[in-house]
Amino acid sequence: MFRNQYDNDSSTWSPQGRIFQVEYASEAVKQGSAVVGLKSKENAVIVAVKRSPNELASYQKKIIRIDDHMGIAMAGLTSDARVLSNYLRTEAMRSKMVYGRPLPVGRAVSAIGDKAQTNTQEYGRRPYGVGLLVIGHDDTGPHLYEFNPSGIVSEYYAYSIGSRSQSARTNLERNFETFQDMSLKELIVQGLRSLRDTLQQGKQLDVLNTSIGFVGKDSKMTILDGQDTQEYLDLLDEGEAMDTE
């Protein structure tokens, strides 16, 4: 990536049909720590690696609850994710007040996609430098969506964004057909297994750097951090021990 005469704002096209500021924002997503999302017939799960800026700082939050039926995980600029999460919370509250029902997940994701697309079309604005995985459960079942800075939103059976996320996607592509009939615990462990593939050599998942979120037919949006994740990390280790025997 380098400066050129076509990257001064997000409303200028290059002769090759590219908008460089959108591409730069997508690079910011790739610099963020990895997030993995997957879903079964009844549940949707997101797992994330948290980073600490230095030894004296706490780990940054990666998963945000939007409503009882929806949550997001982020990769990229945390401040931009906070703006989008506040917008989603406002829309979810408006849906309950005006229509008396939870905001459909697909409509929520389309709303932030439209909001992000506006920033690529109007002079003086910049794209959001964050990617999101959105999970939720509504009348049509569990959902997993990916949002990127260009304003494009896509629904997936399983997906990963962030640093070294291709390693996780390879594992997800190999096994996604088995996810549909998995229990919630099995789904979380499968997500952690894919998330572990994104770590640098010598790094391990532990209670400090792991965050888990899930929502389903019989469970509200729940976020697990700290010691609450130990049960699933133990299940991950037990599964690996059985594979090596």
Side-chain angles (χ1 to χ4, degrees), residues 96-130:
K96 285 186 175 180
M97 293 179 65
V98 176
Y99 302 107
R101 65 168 187 171
L103 180 64
V105 183
R107 186 172 299 172
V109 179
S110 294
I112 58 172
D114 292 344
K115 186 176 176 67
Q117 193 277 335
T118 301
N119 286 9
T120 71
Q121 196 171 0
E122 295 184 1
Y123 181 81
R125 298 190 178 209
R126 70 161 175 82
Y128 292 107
V130 67

Side-chain angles (χ1 to χ4, degrees), residues 50-211:
K50 296 186 289 186
R51 281 181 181 167
S52 175
N54 55 64
E55 294 181 359
L56 300 177
S58 61
Y59 285 83
Q60 293 181 337
K61 192 174 183 179
K62 290 283 289 184
I63 301 177
I64 299 175
R65 176 184 173 276
I66 301 300
D67 202 349
D68 288 341
H69 71 297
M70 182 166 46
I72 65 172
M74 69 190 81
L77 292 179
T78 306
S79 55
D80 283 6
R82 189 168 60 246
V83 170
L84 291 173
S85 67
N86 288 338
Y87 174 75
L88 278 176
R89 284 172 172 168
T90 302
E91 291 299 305
M93 181 176 62
R94 180 181 290 116
S95 178
K96 285 186 175 180
M97 293 179 65
V98 176
Y99 302 107
R101 65 168 187 171
L103 180 64
V105 183
R107 186 172 299 172
V109 179
S110 294
I112 58 172
D114 292 344
K115 186 176 176 67
Q117 193 277 335
T118 301
N119 286 9
T120 71
Q121 196 171 0
E122 295 184 1
Y123 181 81
R125 298 190 178 209
R126 70 161 175 82
Y128 292 107
V130 67
L132 303 176
L133 290 185
V134 183
I135 60 169
H137 192 285
D138 55 25
D139 294 339
T140 59
H143 299 279
L144 168 67
Y145 287 92
E146 182 242 353
F147 158 88
N148 69 47
S150 67
I152 296 174
V153 295
S154 305
E155 187 169 11
Y156 290 92
Y157 294 108
Y159 201 66
S160 176
I161 59 175
S163 177
R164 292 178 293 278
S165 58
Q166 182 58 52
S167 300
R169 285 199 293 272
T170 299
N171 185 43
L172 294 171
E173 289 167 0
R174 190 181 300 124
N175 299 298
F176 79 94
E177 292 179 346
T178 65
F179 296 165
Q180 292 300 299
D181 297 318
M182 283 187 176
S183 67
L184 178 58
K185 281 189 175 181
E186 291 173 332
L187 202 63
I188 292 174
V189 171
Q190 184 63 52
L192 292 173
R193 183 174 290 118
S194 299
L195 185 66
R196 189 177 53 188
D197 291 343
T198 69
L199 297 177
Q200 293 178 337
Q201 190 171 4
K203 296 286 187 179
Q204 295 291 330
L205 294 176
D206 56 43
V207 295
L208 295 177
N209 67 6
T210 304
S211 190

Side-chain angles (χ1 to χ4, degrees), residues 20-39:
F20 286 103
Q21 284 211 4
V22 173
E23 295 183 17
Y24 297 163
S26 298
E27 285 298 314
V29 176
K30 295 177 184 178
Q31 299 301 317
S33 56
V35 177
V36 174
L38 58 167
K39 69 174 184 176

Side-chain angles (χ1 to χ4, degrees), residues 4-20:
N4 61 65
Q5 60 182 319
Y6 301 107
D7 68 354
N8 291 323
D9 64 79
S10 61
S11 60
T12 302
W13 292 92
S14 77
Q16 291 79 34
R18 299 162 64 182
I19 302 178
F20 286 103

